[in-house]
Amino acid sequence: MLSPKKSLNILRKTNALLEGHFVLSSGLHSPKYIQCAKLLSYPHLAKDICKSLANNIKKNFKQIDLILAPAMGGVVIGYEIGRLLKKETIFCERVEGKFKLRRGFSIKKGSKVLIIEDVITTGKSSLECVKLIDKSKAKLLGFASIIDRSSKNSLKIKSKIVSHLKIDVPTFKKDQLPDDLKKIKITKPGSRFIK
C-alpha cells in the first residue's frame, strides 16, 4: 500500500492537486482542488493508487455484484476498480440535471451495488446515484473513492466511505470566504453543471 506521502507526491507529479480558488460541484469554495482526471491520465503512475483502493474495497465489501460510477469523474476509476476486482461496472450520467442510466445499462433487482467516485467532498453525486439503486430495488453496499476530502460539516453521506487517501482540505460557503481566498480569481473545474 502506498503511503500518504507517496500518494500526495503522485498527485502533485500529475498536476492532480491544484492550488488556487475553486468552486466545487457542491457550490463550496476551496483553496485546493483534486483533479483525479489528471492523475488517471497517467495510468503508469495511477496504477498503485488504484490497486490500493481495490484492496481497501476488498477488505470492506465482501460481495459486490455491480459497481456504479457517476459520470464524469467516476467513469475511469469505476472501470479500473471493476477491472481489478473483476466486477461488472456501469456509469450513470446527467440528463437534464438528473442522473439516469443510459446506453443499455441497468441495475438488477436485489443486486449488491458499490458506488465509486474519484473524489467525495459532500457526497451529493453519490447520493444521487443511491436513488437509481433504490429505484431498481437493489441494495447499496456503500461508497468508495480515490480521495475522501469530506468533512463532518459538509458530508451528506452517513455511511462509511472507503478511500485510498483521506485529505483534509478546508471548504467555505460563499459568504464565509477568508480574505486571502477572496483575492484569488475563481475557477469552476467540476462537471456537474456542464451543459
Side-chain angles (χ1 to χ4, degrees):
M1 183 156 146
L2 283 178
S3 70
K5 184 178 179 180
K6 284 185 179 179
S7 298
L8 287 171
N9 285 340
I10 291 171
L11 290 173
R12 287 187 185 100
K13 186 174 185 176
T14 59
N15 291 318
L17 183 56
L18 306 173
E19 295 189 9
H21 181 174
F22 303 96
V23 177
L24 309 175
S25 293
S26 63
L28 296 171
H29 293 244
S30 179
K32 291 187 188 321
Y33 185 77
I34 298 131
Q35 180 56 271
C36 283
K38 293 291 286 179
L39 165 69
L40 296 167
S41 70
Y42 295 93
H44 64 288
L45 296 173
K47 71 178 168 35
D48 291 334
I49 288 175
C50 294
K51 283 180 187 174
S52 173
L53 177 56
N55 287 335
N56 286 346
I57 289 168
K58 273 195 258 188
K59 287 178 198 166
N60 286 276
F61 302 106
K62 300 302 176 201
Q63 190 177 358
I64 302 167
D65 297 320
L66 180 71
I67 292 171
L68 174 62
M72 278 301 300
V75 174
V76 176
I77 189 60
Y79 167 84
E80 183 59 12
I81 297 302
R83 186 187 71 76
L84 290 167
L85 298 179
K86 298 178 173 56
K87 299 295 176 184
E88 179 184 3
T89 303
I90 64 173
F91 61 89
C92 55
E93 53 196 304
R94 292 191 190 280
V95 177
E96 296 177 6
K98 299 214 186 272
F99 275 133
K100 304 271 187 210
L101 293 174
R102 298 182 59 228
R103 304 169 196 274
F105 292 146
S106 65
I107 301 171
K108 292 178 188 140
K109 181 179 177 179
S111 61
K112 296 176 179 120
V113 184
L114 177 67
I115 295 173
I116 295 185
E117 290 209 58
D118 54 351
V119 178
I120 294 178
T121 302
T122 64
K124 187 173 180 180
S125 294
S126 290
L127 290 175
E128 289 179 59
C129 292
V130 172
K131 293 176 186 175
L132 297 172
I133 295 168
D134 291 344
K135 184 178 175 183
S136 300
K137 294 183 172 58
K139 181 181 185 225
L140 171 67
L141 287 177
F143 305 91
S145 63
I146 299 171
I147 308 290
D148 175 0
R149 64 167 284 165
S150 65
S151 69
K152 289 179 185 174
N153 298 336
S154 66
L155 187 63
K156 296 175 184 345
I157 294 173
K158 301 302 176 208
S159 309
K160 180 180 174 187
I161 298 169
V162 173
S163 66
H164 167 70
L165 188 62
K166 171 77 173 147
I167 298 178
D168 292 315
V169 179
T171 55
F172 307 95
K173 292 181 179 175
K174 185 178 182 178
D175 60 350
Q176 298 173 338
L177 295 177
D179 289 337
D180 59 331
L181 200 56
K182 288 178 185 176
K183 296 174 186 173
I184 301 171
K185 183 181 176 201
I186 294 175
T187 303
K188 294 182 181 180
S191 63
R192 179 172 292 150
F193 302 108
I194 293 176
K195 295 187 184 209

